Amino acid sequence: MSRAEQPSRRTLLSAAVVAAVVSSTGPASAHTAPGRPAGPAGGSTDPDAAAARHVDNRAWTSYSDWRTGGAEGTRAVAGVRPGLVIAQAAGTTEHTDPHTGRTAAWEYATWTSPVHRLTVPATEAVVSWNARTPDGTWIQAELQGTYTDGTDTPWYVMGRWAAGDQDILRTSVDGQSDGRSTVWTDTLAVDDAASGLRLVSYRLRLTLHRRPGTELTPTVWRIGAMGSDVPDRFTVPASTPGAARELIVPRYSQELHKGRYPEYDNGGEAWCSPASSQMVAEYWGGRLTEEQLSWVDPSYTDPQVCHAARHTYDHQYAGCGNWPFNAAYAATFEGLQAVVTRLGSLTDLETLITAGIPAITSQSFLEEELTGAGYGTAGHLMAVTGFTPDGDVIANDPASPDNESVRRVYRRREWENAWLRTKRYNASGKVASGTGGVCYLFFPAHPTPRVRRALAAVGVR
């Protein structure tokens, strides 16, 4: 679980709607805040249409993509996996790492995307990227949005990232707001969604850094953003079960790592996200070498989970649950790419599973809301690996006492509601946020036609 006994930072995202819920005279489950589109009243719905209404994904990945926009010192590289690199430094800057206090000079070059107009005017946006950062390099990802009234947000830093931790400590950046939108760790959110204010377009900016006087360069293969406007909802319509299939995904318990490396969010008790990411990366063939694992105490089982925790850790958030950092970690494995998105229904998940694609999902629930879990959580990640013939969810749940018990079967109706809702009541009876269908998807850099079709069906390309 991700810090289950502490308020999730995503709880803050629901603060703007709490007053509306409290003042509602109708049942909370039927309430929709003013200015938000009403969700389906109940029964079955078309999940593809729902996803299309509520989520917009755009990513820059191809050689032609990297040749668009504005480049200052960067260039596009063709080949099997096109990317963006430093061609010639645009300048030198000094950066002080807020977590170490070290100040160092870095050469840099930038690339700014063309403006992307969202098909779904958004209340939230999450940026994710895939990159290689050799020692002596790192990247910064930023987003600037345009509101419905035509004004712009500032350039928001959505992450300062390196695969390792020898040059900078990867970090989100707190304290970013213009009074109308705010960055909460990895999520840019409109402060008052009930006002009707939305983001209608955005640009992304990449800044690539390297040690001065070297020919080093990061390589960025993918950057994109997921914009969404998921209706406020305590419950979601029930979906109709589809095809049954179970994928064979490695199973790792976070609980085996309690007390290990407490500098990374107090050890394994909070490592649901990296444990899940490691499971799915290995499903696709991602393996760590003995050299990469040499820093881990040799007496520890499953050292790869410790490695994943260290290499997804966000030093500002002080946790391993930063969504884009987990996606970026997965993409450090050769031949993999990854993205953070939202899905519209369990039918979307079934589409992915049928094509052989597991998904790592984020959800919050009370113990009594998910039969068989045995715990409640303010935020937890698990890997969905299949569906039973009855349509129930098969998940590799790392909040299990050992690897053998990681495989769980959860009731379909309970699970889909815990995952897809945007609002819930916490253990104190107060309104808190839900993730609204957030998941990480890892998949091959060169997917088969079947995998490509399944991803396209859920809005990922």
Side-chain angles (χ1 to χ4, degrees), residues 55-62 65 130 221-225 337-339 341 441 443-445 447 451-461:
V55 180
D56 174 284
N57 276 292
R58 172 66 166 103
W60 285 263
T61 62
S62 69
D65 282 339
N130 299 173
W221 299 300
R222 180 186 186 102
I223 190 169
Q337 57 181 321
V339 66
T341 190
L441 298 179
F443 49 96
V451 167
R452 189 178 295 111
R453 287 192 299 270
L455 292 167
V458 301
V460 174
R461 292 176 173 81

PDB file of all heavy atoms in Angstrom, residues 55-62 65 130 221-225 337-339 341 441 443-445 447 451-461:
ATOM      1  N   VAL A  55     -11.206  11.332 -21.778  1.00  0.00           N
ATOM      2  CA  VAL A  55      -9.744  11.227 -21.761  1.00  0.00           C
ATOM      3  C   VAL A  55      -9.178  11.550 -23.139  1.00  0.00           C
ATOM      4  O   VAL A  55      -9.708  11.111 -24.156  1.00  0.00           O
ATOM      5  CB  VAL A  55      -9.293   9.810 -21.339  1.00  0.00           C
ATOM      6  CG1 VAL A  55      -7.767   9.717 -21.335  1.00  0.00           C
ATOM      7  CG2 VAL A  55      -9.849   9.445 -19.967  1.00  0.00           C
ATOM      8  N   ASP A  56      -8.091  12.318 -23.146  1.00  0.00           N
ATOM      9  CA  ASP A  56      -7.359  12.631 -24.373  1.00  0.00           C
ATOM     10  C   ASP A  56      -5.897  12.273 -24.153  1.00  0.00           C
ATOM     11  O   ASP A  56      -5.278  12.716 -23.177  1.00  0.00           O
ATOM     12  CB  ASP A  56      -7.490  14.126 -24.692  1.00  0.00           C
ATOM     13  CG  ASP A  56      -6.627  14.552 -25.873  1.00  0.00           C
ATOM     14  OD1 ASP A  56      -5.392  14.686 -25.699  1.00  0.00           O
ATOM     15  OD2 ASP A  56      -7.185  14.770 -26.957  1.00  0.00           O
ATOM     16  N   ASN A  57      -5.348  11.459 -25.035  1.00  0.00           N
ATOM     17  CA  ASN A  57      -3.932  11.114 -25.001  1.00  0.00           C
ATOM     18  C   ASN A  57      -3.249  11.636 -26.253  1.00  0.00           C
ATOM     19  O   ASN A  57      -3.760  11.464 -27.359  1.00  0.00           O
ATOM     20  CB  ASN A  57      -3.744   9.594 -24.966  1.00  0.00           C
ATOM     21  CG  ASN A  57      -3.834   9.024 -23.574  1.00  0.00           C
ATOM     22  OD1 ASN A  57      -2.977   9.266 -22.733  1.00  0.00           O
ATOM     23  ND2 ASN A  57      -4.887   8.269 -23.314  1.00  0.00           N
ATOM     24  N   ARG A  58      -2.097  12.252 -26.060  1.00  0.00           N
ATOM     25  CA  ARG A  58      -1.262  12.652 -27.203  1.00  0.00           C
ATOM     26  C   ARG A  58       0.181  12.388 -26.814  1.00  0.00           C
ATOM     27  O   ARG A  58       0.616  12.761 -25.726  1.00  0.00           O
ATOM     28  CB  ARG A  58      -1.452  14.132 -27.554  1.00  0.00           C
ATOM     29  CG  ARG A  58      -0.466  14.678 -28.609  1.00  0.00           C
ATOM     30  CD  ARG A  58      -0.672  14.031 -29.965  1.00  0.00           C
ATOM     31  NE  ARG A  58       0.010  14.731 -31.050  1.00  0.00           N
ATOM     32  CZ  ARG A  58       1.145  14.319 -31.625  1.00  0.00           C
ATOM     33  NH1 ARG A  58       1.781  13.240 -31.168  1.00  0.00           N
ATOM     34  NH2 ARG A  58       1.666  15.000 -32.635  1.00  0.00           N
ATOM     35  N   ALA A  59       0.917  11.726 -27.691  1.00  0.00           N
ATOM     36  CA  ALA A  59       2.323  11.463 -27.431  1.00  0.00           C
ATOM     37  C   ALA A  59       3.147  11.774 -28.673  1.00  0.00           C
ATOM     38  O   ALA A  59       2.681  11.599 -29.801  1.00  0.00           O
ATOM     39  CB  ALA A  59       2.535  10.009 -27.014  1.00  0.00           C
ATOM     40  N   TRP A  60       4.369  12.231 -28.451  1.00  0.00           N
ATOM     41  CA  TRP A  60       5.341  12.470 -29.519  1.00  0.00           C
ATOM     42  C   TRP A  60       6.367  11.342 -29.449  1.00  0.00           C
ATOM     43  O   TRP A  60       7.058  11.167 -28.427  1.00  0.00           O
ATOM     44  CB  TRP A  60       6.002  13.828 -29.335  1.00  0.00           C
ATOM     45  CG  TRP A  60       5.114  14.968 -29.711  1.00  0.00           C
ATOM     46  CD1 TRP A  60       5.092  15.645 -30.899  1.00  0.00           C
ATOM     47  CD2 TRP A  60       4.088  15.579 -28.903  1.00  0.00           C
ATOM     48  NE1 TRP A  60       4.123  16.621 -30.889  1.00  0.00           N
ATOM     49  CE2 TRP A  60       3.488  16.610 -29.676  1.00  0.00           C
ATOM     50  CE3 TRP A  60       3.606  15.353 -27.618  1.00  0.00           C
ATOM     51  CZ2 TRP A  60       2.459  17.413 -29.190  1.00  0.00           C
ATOM     52  CZ3 TRP A  60       2.570  16.139 -27.127  1.00  0.00           C
ATOM     53  CH2 TRP A  60       2.006  17.156 -27.912  1.00  0.00           C
ATOM     54  N   THR A  61       6.460  10.545 -30.520  1.00  0.00           N
ATOM     55  CA  THR A  61       7.312   9.355 -30.504  1.00  0.00           C
ATOM     56  C   THR A  61       8.093   9.132 -31.797  1.00  0.00           C
ATOM     57  O   THR A  61       9.109   8.445 -31.775  1.00  0.00           O
ATOM     58  CB  THR A  61       6.470   8.087 -30.259  1.00  0.00           C
ATOM     59  OG1 THR A  61       5.531   7.940 -31.337  1.00  0.00           O
ATOM     60  CG2 THR A  61       5.698   8.159 -28.941  1.00  0.00           C
ATOM     61  N   SER A  62       7.644   9.678 -32.888  1.00  0.00           N
ATOM     62  CA  SER A  62       8.229   9.350 -34.189  1.00  0.00           C
ATOM     63  C   SER A  62       9.277  10.383 -34.606  1.00  0.00           C
ATOM     64  O   SER A  62       9.364  11.481 -34.047  1.00  0.00           O
ATOM     65  CB  SER A  62       7.132   9.278 -35.259  1.00  0.00           C
ATOM     66  OG  SER A  62       6.602  10.572 -35.497  1.00  0.00           O
ATOM     67  N   ASP A  65       7.578  13.428 -35.545  1.00  0.00           N
ATOM     68  CA  ASP A  65       7.139  14.161 -34.349  1.00  0.00           C
ATOM     69  C   ASP A  65       8.257  15.032 -33.795  1.00  0.00           C
ATOM     70  O   ASP A  65       8.056  16.212 -33.467  1.00  0.00           O
ATOM     71  CB  ASP A  65       6.713  13.184 -33.245  1.00  0.00           C
ATOM     72  CG  ASP A  65       5.328  12.590 -33.444  1.00  0.00           C
ATOM     73  OD1 ASP A  65       4.523  13.186 -34.175  1.00  0.00           O
ATOM     74  OD2 ASP A  65       5.066  11.520 -32.858  1.00  0.00           O
ATOM     75  N   ASN A 130       9.458   8.585 -21.694  1.00  0.00           N
ATOM     76  CA  ASN A 130      10.359   7.434 -21.756  1.00  0.00           C
ATOM     77  C   ASN A 130      11.700   7.944 -22.252  1.00  0.00           C
ATOM     78  O   ASN A 130      11.771   8.606 -23.302  1.00  0.00           O
ATOM     79  CB  ASN A 130       9.850   6.367 -22.714  1.00  0.00           C
ATOM     80  CG  ASN A 130       8.498   5.774 -22.352  1.00  0.00           C
ATOM     81  OD1 ASN A 130       7.955   5.013 -23.139  1.00  0.00           O
ATOM     82  ND2 ASN A 130       7.943   6.111 -21.205  1.00  0.00           N
ATOM     83  N   TRP A 221      12.602   9.066 -26.012  1.00  0.00           N
ATOM     84  CA  TRP A 221      11.882   8.332 -27.050  1.00  0.00           C
ATOM     85  C   TRP A 221      10.400   8.677 -27.098  1.00  0.00           C
ATOM     86  O   TRP A 221       9.765   8.530 -28.129  1.00  0.00           O
ATOM     87  CB  TRP A 221      12.010   6.825 -26.816  1.00  0.00           C
ATOM     88  CG  TRP A 221      13.393   6.308 -26.850  1.00  0.00           C
ATOM     89  CD1 TRP A 221      14.282   6.377 -27.897  1.00  0.00           C
ATOM     90  CD2 TRP A 221      14.084   5.634 -25.795  1.00  0.00           C
ATOM     91  NE1 TRP A 221      15.466   5.778 -27.559  1.00  0.00           N
ATOM     92  CE2 TRP A 221      15.370   5.301 -26.269  1.00  0.00           C
ATOM     93  CE3 TRP A 221      13.726   5.251 -24.494  1.00  0.00           C
ATOM     94  CZ2 TRP A 221      16.303   4.640 -25.486  1.00  0.00           C
ATOM     95  CZ3 TRP A 221      14.655   4.584 -23.715  1.00  0.00           C
ATOM     96  CH2 TRP A 221      15.920   4.287 -24.207  1.00  0.00           C
ATOM     97  N   ARG A 222       9.888   9.127 -25.981  1.00  0.00           N
ATOM     98  CA  ARG A 222       8.446   9.365 -25.922  1.00  0.00           C
ATOM     99  C   ARG A 222       8.167  10.437 -24.874  1.00  0.00           C
ATOM    100  O   ARG A 222       8.735  10.413 -23.784  1.00  0.00           O
ATOM    101  CB  ARG A 222       7.707   8.080 -25.532  1.00  0.00           C
ATOM    102  CG  ARG A 222       6.190   8.211 -25.431  1.00  0.00           C
ATOM    103  CD  ARG A 222       5.543   6.921 -24.887  1.00  0.00           C
ATOM    104  NE  ARG A 222       4.085   7.032 -24.941  1.00  0.00           N
ATOM    105  CZ  ARG A 222       3.316   6.470 -25.862  1.00  0.00           C
ATOM    106  NH1 ARG A 222       3.871   5.703 -26.796  1.00  0.00           N
ATOM    107  NH2 ARG A 222       2.021   6.647 -25.865  1.00  0.00           N
ATOM    108  N   ILE A 223       7.309  11.381 -25.200  1.00  0.00           N
ATOM    109  CA  ILE A 223       6.729  12.262 -24.203  1.00  0.00           C
ATOM    110  C   ILE A 223       5.303  12.552 -24.618  1.00  0.00           C
ATOM    111  O   ILE A 223       4.996  12.658 -25.813  1.00  0.00           O
ATOM    112  CB  ILE A 223       7.530  13.571 -24.008  1.00  0.00           C
ATOM    113  CG1 ILE A 223       7.002  14.309 -22.769  1.00  0.00           C
ATOM    114  CG2 ILE A 223       7.492  14.455 -25.259  1.00  0.00           C
ATOM    115  CD1 ILE A 223       7.870  15.458 -22.319  1.00  0.00           C
ATOM    116  N   GLY A 224       4.438  12.637 -23.645  1.00  0.00           N
ATOM    117  CA  GLY A 224       3.042  12.914 -23.949  1.00  0.00           C
ATOM    118  C   GLY A 224       2.295  13.288 -22.688  1.00  0.00           C
ATOM    119  O   GLY A 224       2.866  13.329 -21.590  1.00  0.00           O
ATOM    120  N   ALA A 225       1.042  13.575 -22.853  1.00  0.00           N
ATOM    121  CA  ALA A 225       0.207  13.944 -21.713  1.00  0.00           C
ATOM    122  C   ALA A 225      -1.165  13.319 -21.859  1.00  0.00           C
ATOM    123  O   ALA A 225      -1.672  13.131 -22.967  1.00  0.00           O
ATOM    124  CB  ALA A 225       0.088  15.460 -21.586  1.00  0.00           C
ATOM    125  N   GLN A 337       8.214   0.451 -23.644  1.00  0.00           N
ATOM    126  CA  GLN A 337       7.729   1.812 -23.471  1.00  0.00           C
ATOM    127  C   GLN A 337       6.572   1.769 -22.484  1.00  0.00           C
ATOM    128  O   GLN A 337       6.023   0.705 -22.179  1.00  0.00           O
ATOM    129  CB  GLN A 337       7.324   2.456 -24.787  1.00  0.00           C
ATOM    130  CG  GLN A 337       6.267   1.735 -25.587  1.00  0.00           C
ATOM    131  CD  GLN A 337       5.959   2.471 -26.887  1.00  0.00           C
ATOM    132  OE1 GLN A 337       5.906   3.707 -26.940  1.00  0.00           O
ATOM    133  NE2 GLN A 337       5.751   1.714 -27.960  1.00  0.00           N
ATOM    134  N   ALA A 338       6.197   2.945 -21.970  1.00  0.00           N
ATOM    135  CA  ALA A 338       5.195   2.980 -20.912  1.00  0.00           C
ATOM    136  C   ALA A 338       4.498   4.325 -20.910  1.00  0.00           C
ATOM    137  O   ALA A 338       5.054   5.341 -21.333  1.00  0.00           O
ATOM    138  CB  ALA A 338       5.855   2.727 -19.560  1.00  0.00           C
ATOM    139  N   VAL A 339       3.270   4.327 -20.390  1.00  0.00           N
ATOM    140  CA  VAL A 339       2.471   5.540 -20.372  1.00  0.00           C
ATOM    141  C   VAL A 339       1.520   5.497 -19.182  1.00  0.00           C
ATOM    142  O   VAL A 339       1.124   4.418 -18.728  1.00  0.00           O
ATOM    143  CB  VAL A 339       1.676   5.681 -21.695  1.00  0.00           C
ATOM    144  CG1 VAL A 339       0.633   4.591 -21.837  1.00  0.00           C
ATOM    145  CG2 VAL A 339       1.050   7.054 -21.826  1.00  0.00           C
ATOM    146  N   THR A 341      -2.236   6.585 -18.089  1.00  0.00           N
ATOM    147  CA  THR A 341      -3.488   6.977 -18.726  1.00  0.00           C
ATOM    148  C   THR A 341      -4.652   6.712 -17.792  1.00  0.00           C
ATOM    149  O   THR A 341      -4.472   6.304 -16.640  1.00  0.00           O
ATOM    150  CB  THR A 341      -3.683   6.237 -20.069  1.00  0.00           C
ATOM    151  OG1 THR A 341      -4.797   6.822 -20.761  1.00  0.00           O
ATOM    152  CG2 THR A 341      -3.914   4.754 -19.861  1.00  0.00           C
ATOM    153  N   LEU A 441       0.395   1.599 -18.274  1.00  0.00           N
ATOM    154  CA  LEU A 441       0.470   0.561 -19.288  1.00  0.00           C
ATOM    155  C   LEU A 441       1.906   0.461 -19.787  1.00  0.00           C
ATOM    156  O   LEU A 441       2.486   1.450 -20.232  1.00  0.00           O
ATOM    157  CB  LEU A 441      -0.463   0.879 -20.463  1.00  0.00           C
ATOM    158  CG  LEU A 441      -1.963   0.956 -20.146  1.00  0.00           C
ATOM    159  CD1 LEU A 441      -2.750   1.299 -21.406  1.00  0.00           C
ATOM    160  CD2 LEU A 441      -2.464  -0.334 -19.523  1.00  0.00           C
ATOM    161  N   PHE A 443       4.359  -1.709 -22.502  1.00  0.00           N
ATOM    162  CA  PHE A 443       4.191  -2.510 -23.712  1.00  0.00           C
ATOM    163  C   PHE A 443       5.441  -2.390 -24.575  1.00  0.00           C
ATOM    164  O   PHE A 443       6.267  -1.491 -24.359  1.00  0.00           O
ATOM    165  CB  PHE A 443       2.941  -2.078 -24.486  1.00  0.00           C
ATOM    166  CG  PHE A 443       2.817  -0.592 -24.714  1.00  0.00           C
ATOM    167  CD1 PHE A 443       3.249  -0.012 -25.900  1.00  0.00           C
ATOM    168  CD2 PHE A 443       2.261   0.232 -23.739  1.00  0.00           C
ATOM    169  CE1 PHE A 443       3.139   1.353 -26.110  1.00  0.00           C
ATOM    170  CE2 PHE A 443       2.144   1.606 -23.938  1.00  0.00           C
ATOM    171  CZ  PHE A 443       2.585   2.165 -25.129  1.00  0.00           C
ATOM    172  N   PRO A 444       5.604  -3.278 -25.540  1.00  0.00           N
ATOM    173  CA  PRO A 444       6.832  -3.256 -26.342  1.00  0.00           C
ATOM    174  C   PRO A 444       6.993  -1.964 -27.140  1.00  0.00           C
ATOM    175  O   PRO A 444       6.013  -1.356 -27.583  1.00  0.00           O
ATOM    176  CB  PRO A 444       6.671  -4.465 -27.270  1.00  0.00           C
ATOM    177  CG  PRO A 444       5.719  -5.369 -26.558  1.00  0.00           C
ATOM    178  CD  PRO A 444       4.765  -4.455 -25.851  1.00  0.00           C
ATOM    179  N   ALA A 445       8.250  -1.574 -27.319  1.00  0.00           N
ATOM    180  CA  ALA A 445       8.533  -0.407 -28.150  1.00  0.00           C
ATOM    181  C   ALA A 445       8.080  -0.639 -29.585  1.00  0.00           C
ATOM    182  O   ALA A 445       7.740   0.312 -30.303  1.00  0.00           O
ATOM    183  CB  ALA A 445      10.026  -0.094 -28.110  1.00  0.00           C
ATOM    184  N   PRO A 447       5.274  -2.839 -30.865  1.00  0.00           N
ATOM    185  CA  PRO A 447       4.184  -3.777 -30.560  1.00  0.00           C
ATOM    186  C   PRO A 447       3.703  -4.530 -31.788  1.00  0.00           C
ATOM    187  O   PRO A 447       3.807  -4.050 -32.920  1.00  0.00           O
ATOM    188  CB  PRO A 447       3.087  -2.858 -30.008  1.00  0.00           C
ATOM    189  CG  PRO A 447       3.377  -1.509 -30.574  1.00  0.00           C
ATOM    190  CD  PRO A 447       4.867  -1.434 -30.714  1.00  0.00           C
ATOM    191  N   VAL A 451      -1.413  -6.037 -30.327  1.00  0.00           N
ATOM    192  CA  VAL A 451      -1.194  -5.151 -29.189  1.00  0.00           C
ATOM    193  C   VAL A 451      -1.476  -3.701 -29.573  1.00  0.00           C
ATOM    194  O   VAL A 451      -2.120  -2.954 -28.829  1.00  0.00           O
ATOM    195  CB  VAL A 451       0.248  -5.300 -28.660  1.00  0.00           C
ATOM    196  CG1 VAL A 451       0.604  -4.181 -27.690  1.00  0.00           C
ATOM    197  CG2 VAL A 451       0.432  -6.666 -27.993  1.00  0.00           C
ATOM    198  N   ARG A 452      -1.051  -3.321 -30.777  1.00  0.00           N
ATOM    199  CA  ARG A 452      -1.280  -1.954 -31.226  1.00  0.00           C
ATOM    200  C   ARG A 452      -2.763  -1.640 -31.333  1.00  0.00           C
ATOM    201  O   ARG A 452      -3.235  -0.567 -30.938  1.00  0.00           O
ATOM    202  CB  ARG A 452      -0.597  -1.735 -32.581  1.00  0.00           C
ATOM    203  CG  ARG A 452      -0.583  -0.284 -33.039  1.00  0.00           C
ATOM    204  CD  ARG A 452       0.131  -0.112 -34.354  1.00  0.00           C
ATOM    205  NE  ARG A 452       1.548  -0.443 -34.250  1.00  0.00           N
ATOM    206  CZ  ARG A 452       2.115  -1.500 -34.806  1.00  0.00           C
ATOM    207  NH1 ARG A 452       1.385  -2.343 -35.527  1.00  0.00           N
ATOM    208  NH2 ARG A 452       3.401  -1.715 -34.677  1.00  0.00           N
ATOM    209  N   ARG A 453      -3.543  -2.605 -31.843  1.00  0.00           N
ATOM    210  CA  ARG A 453      -4.990  -2.378 -31.968  1.00  0.00           C
ATOM    211  C   ARG A 453      -5.651  -2.249 -30.601  1.00  0.00           C
ATOM    212  O   ARG A 453      -6.543  -1.409 -30.404  1.00  0.00           O
ATOM    213  CB  ARG A 453      -5.642  -3.529 -32.757  1.00  0.00           C
ATOM    214  CG  ARG A 453      -5.346  -3.499 -34.247  1.00  0.00           C
ATOM    215  CD  ARG A 453      -6.257  -4.473 -34.987  1.00  0.00           C
ATOM    216  NE  ARG A 453      -6.074  -5.847 -34.559  1.00  0.00           N
ATOM    217  CZ  ARG A 453      -5.205  -6.706 -35.101  1.00  0.00           C
ATOM    218  NH1 ARG A 453      -4.418  -6.296 -36.096  1.00  0.00           N
ATOM    219  NH2 ARG A 453      -5.114  -7.936 -34.677  1.00  0.00           N
ATOM    220  N   ALA A 454      -5.231  -3.078 -29.646  1.00  0.00           N
ATOM    221  CA  ALA A 454      -5.820  -3.015 -28.316  1.00  0.00           C
ATOM    222  C   ALA A 454      -5.503  -1.680 -27.635  1.00  0.00           C
ATOM    223  O   ALA A 454      -6.362  -1.067 -27.006  1.00  0.00           O
ATOM    224  CB  ALA A 454      -5.307  -4.172 -27.467  1.00  0.00           C
ATOM    225  N   LEU A 455      -4.274  -1.233 -27.777  1.00  0.00           N
ATOM    226  CA  LEU A 455      -3.899   0.069 -27.206  1.00  0.00           C
ATOM    227  C   LEU A 455      -4.686   1.195 -27.860  1.00  0.00           C
ATOM    228  O   LEU A 455      -5.179   2.103 -27.168  1.00  0.00           O
ATOM    229  CB  LEU A 455      -2.393   0.300 -27.360  1.00  0.00           C
ATOM    230  CG  LEU A 455      -1.485  -0.612 -26.529  1.00  0.00           C
ATOM    231  CD1 LEU A 455      -0.045  -0.485 -27.005  1.00  0.00           C
ATOM    232  CD2 LEU A 455      -1.583  -0.259 -25.047  1.00  0.00           C
ATOM    233  N   ALA A 456      -4.811   1.155 -29.177  1.00  0.00           N
ATOM    234  CA  ALA A 456      -5.568   2.196 -29.869  1.00  0.00           C
ATOM    235  C   ALA A 456      -7.019   2.207 -29.416  1.00  0.00           C
ATOM    236  O   ALA A 456      -7.656   3.270 -29.321  1.00  0.00           O
ATOM    237  CB  ALA A 456      -5.478   1.982 -31.384  1.00  0.00           C
ATOM    238  N   ALA A 457      -7.566   1.012 -29.123  1.00  0.00           N
ATOM    239  CA  ALA A 457      -8.959   0.926 -28.685  1.00  0.00           C
ATOM    240  C   ALA A 457      -9.189   1.626 -27.358  1.00  0.00           C
ATOM    241  O   ALA A 457     -10.309   2.054 -27.071  1.00  0.00           O
ATOM    242  CB  ALA A 457      -9.380  -0.542 -28.585  1.00  0.00           C
ATOM    243  N   VAL A 458      -8.123   1.746 -26.535  1.00  0.00           N
ATOM    244  CA  VAL A 458      -8.269   2.449 -25.264  1.00  0.00           C
ATOM    245  C   VAL A 458      -7.610   3.823 -25.313  1.00  0.00           C
ATOM    246  O   VAL A 458      -7.368   4.464 -24.282  1.00  0.00           O
ATOM    247  CB  VAL A 458      -7.715   1.622 -24.093  1.00  0.00           C
ATOM    248  CG1 VAL A 458      -8.441   0.296 -23.998  1.00  0.00           C
ATOM    249  CG2 VAL A 458      -6.204   1.392 -24.210  1.00  0.00           C
ATOM    250  N   GLY A 459      -7.302   4.289 -26.529  1.00  0.00           N
ATOM    251  CA  GLY A 459      -6.843   5.661 -26.702  1.00  0.00           C
ATOM    252  C   GLY A 459      -5.357   5.897 -26.564  1.00  0.00           C
ATOM    253  O   GLY A 459      -4.924   7.040 -26.406  1.00  0.00           O
ATOM    254  N   VAL A 460      -4.546   4.831 -26.635  1.00  0.00           N
ATOM    255  CA  VAL A 460      -3.094   4.969 -26.488  1.00  0.00           C
ATOM    256  C   VAL A 460      -2.420   4.585 -27.797  1.00  0.00           C
ATOM    257  O   VAL A 460      -2.661   3.508 -28.320  1.00  0.00           O
ATOM    258  CB  VAL A 460      -2.568   4.092 -25.329  1.00  0.00           C
ATOM    259  CG1 VAL A 460      -1.034   4.130 -25.287  1.00  0.00           C
ATOM    260  CG2 VAL A 460      -3.145   4.545 -24.007  1.00  0.00           C
ATOM    261  N   ARG A 461      -1.561   5.442 -28.276  1.00  0.00           N
ATOM    262  CA  ARG A 461      -0.816   5.169 -29.503  1.00  0.00           C
ATOM    263  C   ARG A 461       0.648   5.543 -29.312  1.00  0.00           C
ATOM    264  O   ARG A 461       0.966   6.331 -28.461  1.00  0.00           O
ATOM    265  CB  ARG A 461      -1.391   5.982 -30.684  1.00  0.00           C
ATOM    266  CG  ARG A 461      -2.790   5.509 -31.078  1.00  0.00           C
ATOM    267  CD  ARG A 461      -3.374   6.386 -32.161  1.00  0.00           C
ATOM    268  NE  ARG A 461      -4.634   5.866 -32.661  1.00  0.00           N
ATOM    269  CZ  ARG A 461      -5.808   6.042 -32.050  1.00  0.00           C
ATOM    270  NH1 ARG A 461      -5.845   6.741 -30.932  1.00  0.00           N
ATOM    271  NH2 ARG A 461      -6.920   5.529 -32.553  1.00  0.00           N
TER     272      ARG A 461
END
